[in-house]
């Protein structure tokens, strides 16, 4: 293995790892004991059911790792006129109440996902920003034990892996790939 993480060899090796990672299906996002009905989920979290909140929740579930702008466009296509502020407000309250998760990789806009009941991590493509879920290396919280916890009780570890996705690797090498699931959504 090349000790230089930015080398072509290291990037190609990471690409083979990226090829094996896929986004979690909707059934994996929501545990069996969580109501599948979005309105019921809102009620269980003490939230009033509104068309905007329902549409935002569905948009996040249907397209994990979307930005607020992507979600706004999806919501607008579903319910018509909606203000940007209403979408941001819904994203904020849904995140605060634990219905969705907000992640913000460095130098990237915030992204939202519906997979909230575990401590998984993310792979982010440096070139195109594609983001996929990866399960925790150990499989339980927290995945990483801090060398020194400074008196904190650690209950979550946020890890973001960076590299080039298979599509961007192929583009960098001048190879055309079949459309990925990300491109087909």
């Amino acid at each position: 293995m090349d000790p230089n993480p930015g080398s072509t060899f290291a990037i190609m090796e990471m690409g083979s790892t990226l090829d094996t990672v896929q986004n979690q299906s909707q059934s994996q996002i929501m545990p069996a004991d969580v109501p599948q009905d979005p309105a019921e989920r809102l009620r269980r979290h003490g939230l009033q059911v509104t068309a905007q909140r329902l549409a935002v929740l569905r948009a996040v579930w249907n397209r994990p790792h979307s930005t607020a702008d992507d979600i706004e466009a999806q919501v607008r296509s579903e319910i018509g006129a909606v203000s940007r502020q209403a979408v941001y407000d819904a994203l904020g309250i849904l995140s605060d109440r634990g219905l969705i998760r907000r992640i913000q990789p460095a130098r990237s806009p915030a992204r939202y996902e519906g997979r909230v009941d575990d401590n998984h991590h993310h792979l982010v493509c440096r070139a195109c920003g594609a983001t996929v879920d990866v399960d925790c290396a150990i499989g339980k919280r927290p995945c990483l034990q801090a060398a020194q916890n400074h008196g904190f009780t650690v209950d979550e570890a946020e890890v973001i892996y960076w590299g080039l996705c298979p599509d961007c690797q192929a583009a960098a090498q001048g190879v055309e790939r079949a459309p990925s699931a990300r491109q087909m959504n």
Side-chain angles (χ1 to χ4, degrees):
M1 176 176 212
D2 188 334
N4 180 359
S7 72
T8 302
F9 178 80
I11 290 171
M12 289 173 63
E13 187 175 85
M14 185 177 294
S16 67
T17 301
L18 286 169
D19 274 331
T20 63
V21 175
Q22 297 178 347
N23 280 317
Q24 300 295 319
S25 69
Q26 184 66 27
S27 63
Q28 292 171 314
I29 291 172
M30 294 186 299
D33 62 338
V34 175
Q36 297 289 328
D37 177 30
E40 181 58 27
R41 290 200 68 193
L42 290 171
R43 285 186 202 99
R44 280 202 179 179
H45 283 83
L47 293 172
Q48 181 179 358
V49 177
T50 66
Q52 292 90 349
R53 288 178 182 162
L54 289 171
V56 167
L57 198 53
R58 281 192 292 265
V60 171
W61 286 345
N62 291 334
R63 303 230 19 202
H65 310 121
S66 292
T67 65
D69 289 343
D70 297 335
I71 294 165
E72 178 187 357
Q74 250 189 315
V75 168
R76 197 167 270 131
S77 73
E78 181 180 330
I79 65 173
V82 64
S83 72
R84 174 170 286 185
Q85 189 60 51
V87 171
Y88 277 90
D89 289 348
L91 288 168
I93 192 74
L94 294 172
S95 294
D96 290 346
R97 296 292 177 96
L99 285 156
I100 63 174
R101 182 176 176 194
R102 180 182 189 271
I103 60 169
Q104 188 159 6
R107 301 172 305 281
S108 300
R111 297 179 176 274
Y112 299 87
E113 65 181 351
R115 187 175 171 190
V116 296
D117 294 324
D118 67 350
N119 190 31
H120 67 280
H121 308 302
H122 298 93
L123 277 164
V124 179
C125 179
R126 288 187 189 280
C128 70
T131 305
V132 294
D133 291 338
V134 290
D135 289 328
C136 184
I138 295 174
K140 62 180 182 175
R141 287 184 190 187
C143 293
L144 303 177
Q145 297 296 324
Q148 175 58 268
N149 69 12
H150 300 279
F152 284 67
T153 300
V154 179
D155 62 9
E156 181 177 5
E158 185 171 313
V159 176
I160 298 178
Y161 301 97
W162 293 89
L164 288 178
C165 70
D167 293 340
C168 291
Q169 290 176 59
Q173 296 172 356
V175 176
E176 191 168 322
R177 285 178 47 102
S180 67
R182 175 176 44 87
Q183 293 171 326
M184 298 170 78
N185 283 335

